[in-house]
Amino acid sequence: MLTSVALLEGAGISRATLNNYIAVGLLPRPEVRRQAAVPGEAPTTLGYFPDWALERIGQIQELKRNGVSMEDIKRQLADEAEPVKVKPSPTASAPDSATTPAVVPSPTVAAGPAPLPNDSAPFSEKRTAPASVQRSESVQVSVENIPYPAYMVNFEFQLIWLNALAQKEFFADNPIPERANDRSIVPTLLEWAGTLPQQEQASLFNAHLGPIKSRLSRQAFSQNLGNLADAQRQWLMDCYDHCPEPENRIQHIVGLVHPDPEIGPCQVVALSFREGVLIVYVPEKQDVNQLLNCVSRRDSFIRALLSQRLPVLTPLAVMVADLQNSVRICSELPPEDYFQLINQIWSTLDPIFREYYGAYGKHTGDGMVYYFFPQPDRNYLMNAVLCANKVRETMQNISHEWMVRKGWTNPLYMNIGLSEGEEWLGTFRTNTNFELVVLGETINICGRLSDLARFGKIWATKGLISKLSVTERSKIRYGVERDAPEGRVFVNNSYAQVATLLSNTDPRHAKLMDIATCAVAEVLPKL
């Protein structure tokens, strides 16, 4: 007899694929045997298959490589010397796509979508459903030792973090895709859902959709489905239409019963954060309160989790903002006043960055760096522009307040540069904190533009502004000030190379020559 683990490793297939073969009658259901308990841990169970099961899987794989449909494979192998005696489970997934009828409303689930259409070939031979992991009830749960498969997705279903158990169960030894747009977990969930009973299929997606739906429009969800088959796309859209938004958007728990006896009943715990949704698969016999108690310290928990986020090649917008004449301001104010000023600036601007989904990055001195990533319900590029305008307006209020309070004539300016691109995003970790770090030219250009800006101006690259929609561009004012017979005039909707804006007599401009050919425009408040 072969254990299911040995069979999966020997055949090089996923657990979901194995369950499919069982469901259609090509393999028998495993013989479940209880394992002796290890001291301090709960007893476990293992499934055992006959020795010929490995050869049978090899036959199936060879026939599939030769283009034989699953229906023909079933007919051919059913007559061999070791026919499968177990009939397909009535709770198994739909048959191969070659014989799958058109999607129709389920007669048994009136309020939900029809059964999930199943393709003849899985999305990945390495993806598997999350397996239950037995652990002692006394384990202290933290981000570093969540004893169950767990991963975090953003609000577009893209993977941004996973633990070792989820890595093993979902991706095996396959590398995680580099680009954010290639990290959708929808194909993995579809493959697993195909092995679930009909009434459980929608529950799996509801566990993910529920906390996300409030920020993910139907149109945006449809656009994120990629190149799925029409039947699968329609099934997912039906899931979206029928999925209720949970009453508790911070903590959402959905119960599932997996057909594999090694997995069995589990609770899909969805925990919502500003940065995304954490999904944890907790076996029913385990105490979910351990996990919830850990997450109750939300700020420290999400910091620890995001410090381990996967490096990713992602589109983003960058804002670099520098406080003009910060050295002079520091020298002219008593230390307590200077620190009070800087703290007021940060505490006042922080809610603005949060409003526009800006993520803090490391910056030396008195300036700041924020990153803006794609969002399902708004344009991240427009977020950056609107945020910059709001920062400028707020700084004018702070400047006026301090001029009145101190009776001085030094206005406060935050000089801002904006740029966009596709760059590597990662984290630098210390023992107590972490920093988001972006590698590449985008942030360098942005930093130079903040050096170019003076007296609270906002300079943005042509690339950023031109990627806004026509409607979005109509909501902002941008252009370049030029010489004219009547003096300096502002020419709307125009750009200029940085070189034409530099002065040969200004020593600050020497370091801007490396972006001399970059086309930029000044962003002004809307009239």
Side-chain angles (χ1 to χ4, degrees):
M1 299 287 284
L2 294 172
T3 67
S4 59
V5 175
L7 184 60
L8 291 171
E9 292 179 350
I13 63 173
S14 69
R15 189 178 299 277
T17 302
L18 176 62
N19 288 335
N20 278 335
Y21 294 162
I22 297 171
V24 299
L26 288 170
L27 290 174
R29 296 186 71 82
E31 177 184 333
V32 180
R33 300 177 184 176
R34 191 177 183 86
Q35 306 300 299
V38 176
E41 295 190 3
T44 62
T45 58
L46 270 180
Y48 287 81
F49 291 83
D51 293 332
W52 55 265
L54 185 59
E55 181 180 354
R56 170 61 60 85
I57 293 175
Q59 292 175 302
I60 296 171
Q61 291 174 323
E62 180 65 26
L63 291 169
K64 288 176 65 177
R65 283 192 292 268
N66 293 332
V68 182
S69 70
M70 286 297 294
E71 193 64 28
D72 289 339
I73 291 175
K74 287 187 288 184
R75 283 195 293 266
Q76 181 173 336
L77 295 185
D79 296 329
E80 292 195 353
E82 294 279 3
V84 180
K85 302 300 182 182
V86 179
K87 295 181 180 180
S89 167
T91 62
S93 62
D96 186 84
S97 62
T99 59
T100 300
V103 179
V104 294
S106 168
T108 58
V109 188
L116 171 65
N118 206 2
D119 278 351
S120 57
F123 284 88
S124 166
E125 289 293 336
K126 290 294 183 182
R127 293 190 179 113
T128 65
S132 61
V133 181
Q134 305 297 333
R135 293 290 187 274
S136 169
E137 292 292 338
S138 62
V139 169
Q140 296 298 312
V141 177
S142 68
V143 172
E144 289 73 20
N145 73 339
I146 295 178
Y148 323 112
Y151 52 82
M152 190 172 194
V153 297
N154 61 20
F155 290 93
E156 294 182 301
F157 280 97
Q158 294 166 352
L159 191 69
I160 59 177
W161 173 87
L162 76 168
N163 64 4
L165 292 171
Q167 168 83 50
K168 177 181 178 181
E169 297 296 341
F170 280 103
F171 296 96
D173 297 324
N174 289 349
I176 304 298
E178 292 182 347
R179 294 181 180 276
N181 291 339
D182 297 331
R183 290 186 176 178
S184 171
I185 65 165
V186 170
T188 301
L189 293 177
L190 276 172
E191 185 180 347
W192 181 21
T195 69
L196 292 173
Q198 176 183 328
Q199 63 270 24
E200 303 284 350
Q201 292 173 356
S203 296
L204 175 64
F205 276 90
N206 287 350
H208 293 73
L209 271 172
I212 293 177
K213 189 174 180 180
S214 62
R215 289 200 51 205
L216 184 65
S217 69
R218 194 179 193 276
Q219 180 181 0
F221 179 60
S222 177
Q223 293 173 346
N224 289 339
L225 297 183
N227 298 320
L228 296 179
D230 290 342
Q232 290 178 320
R233 175 182 290 273
Q234 183 58 53
W235 186 84
L236 288 169
M237 296 310 299
D238 289 343
C239 278
Y240 182 93
D241 292 336
H242 290 96
C243 175
E245 293 187 25
E247 294 183 4
N248 187 345
R249 293 181 181 175
I250 295 177
Q251 172 186 314
H252 183 47
I253 301 177
V254 173
L256 286 176
V257 179
H258 197 282
D260 188 337
E262 290 188 42
I263 299 174
C266 62
Q267 300 173 86
V268 184
V269 183
L271 302 164
S272 297
F273 298 86
R274 175 175 173 268
E275 296 79 3
V277 178
L278 176 68
I279 305 292
V280 186
Y281 297 87
V282 182
E284 188 177 60
K285 62 183 67 177
Q286 302 297 331
D287 183 8
V288 74
N289 288 322
Q290 288 183 335
L291 175 67
L292 299 181
N293 289 338
C294 171
V295 180
S296 65
R297 302 180 294 276
R298 293 179 64 83
D299 288 344
S300 60
F301 183 90
I302 193 62
R303 282 198 300 270
L305 189 151
L306 291 178
S307 71
Q308 304 173 28
R309 68 183 299 157
L310 300 168
V312 61
L313 189 60
T314 180
L316 80 166
V318 181
M319 175 197 296
V320 174
D322 277 310
L323 182 63
Q324 183 170 309
N325 297 328
S326 60
V327 174
R328 190 182 74 185
I329 293 172
C330 178
S331 65
E332 292 182 356
L333 286 176
E336 59 272 21
D337 283 354
Y338 177 74
F339 285 117
Q340 182 183 359
L341 170 62
I342 298 302
N343 285 328
Q344 180 180 348
I345 290 174
W346 277 94
S347 62
T348 306
L349 296 185
D350 182 66
I352 298 173
F353 289 114
R354 294 179 65 86
E355 177 185 355
Y356 293 101
Y357 296 96
Y360 169 70
K362 177 66 175 178
H363 187 280
T364 59
D366 302 313
M368 51 189 67
V369 173
Y370 273 83
Y371 307 124
F372 299 82
F373 304 110
Q375 303 291 331
D377 53 353
R378 59 186 70 190
N379 186 347
Y380 67 101
L381 301 175
M382 192 64 174
N383 275 351
V385 175
L386 295 177
C387 183
N389 271 325
K390 192 70 172 290
V391 167
R392 173 169 49 195
E393 176 187 338
T394 304
M395 282 300 300
Q396 290 172 350
N397 296 333
I398 296 176
S399 176
H400 177 74
E401 176 187 338
W402 274 76
M403 292 176 72
V404 171
R405 179 190 303 181
K406 303 301 295 185
W408 63 357
T409 58
N410 295 332
L412 302 173
Y413 298 109
M414 193 68 77
N415 301 323
I416 296 175
L418 297 173
S419 62
E420 61 78 34
E422 185 179 55
E423 304 290 359
W424 277 101
L425 169 70
T427 57
F428 287 163
R429 282 183 284 172
T430 67
N431 291 334
T432 58
N433 204 353
F434 79 98
E435 299 167 358
L436 284 179
V437 178
V438 168
L439 307 178
E441 284 302 306
T442 301
I443 191 167
N444 295 333
I445 293 173
C446 197
R448 290 289 184 260
L449 290 182
S450 71
D451 292 335
L452 174 66
R454 297 294 288 170
F455 306 109
K457 287 187 176 182
I458 301 169
W459 285 99
T461 61
K462 180 179 180 179
L464 187 151
I465 295 176
S466 63
K467 289 183 179 179
L468 299 174
S469 68
V470 174
T471 301
E472 288 169 334
R473 285 199 297 271
S474 69
K475 296 178 180 179
I476 64 174
R477 186 181 175 211
Y478 66 94
V480 178
E481 194 176 58
R482 300 181 184 276
D483 290 323
E486 62 274 20
R488 301 285 289 179
V489 296
F490 190 84
V491 182
N492 288 305
N493 305 335
S494 66
Y495 305 93
Q497 286 190 330
V498 171
T500 64
L501 305 172
L502 302 182
S503 169
N504 294 330
T505 60
D506 192 334
R508 296 183 307 107
H509 289 175
K511 63 180 179 180
L512 301 178
M513 292 308 297
D514 56 350
I515 62 166
T517 59
C518 181
V520 298
E522 182 184 351
V523 179
L524 296 180
K526 187 68 174 177
L527 294 177

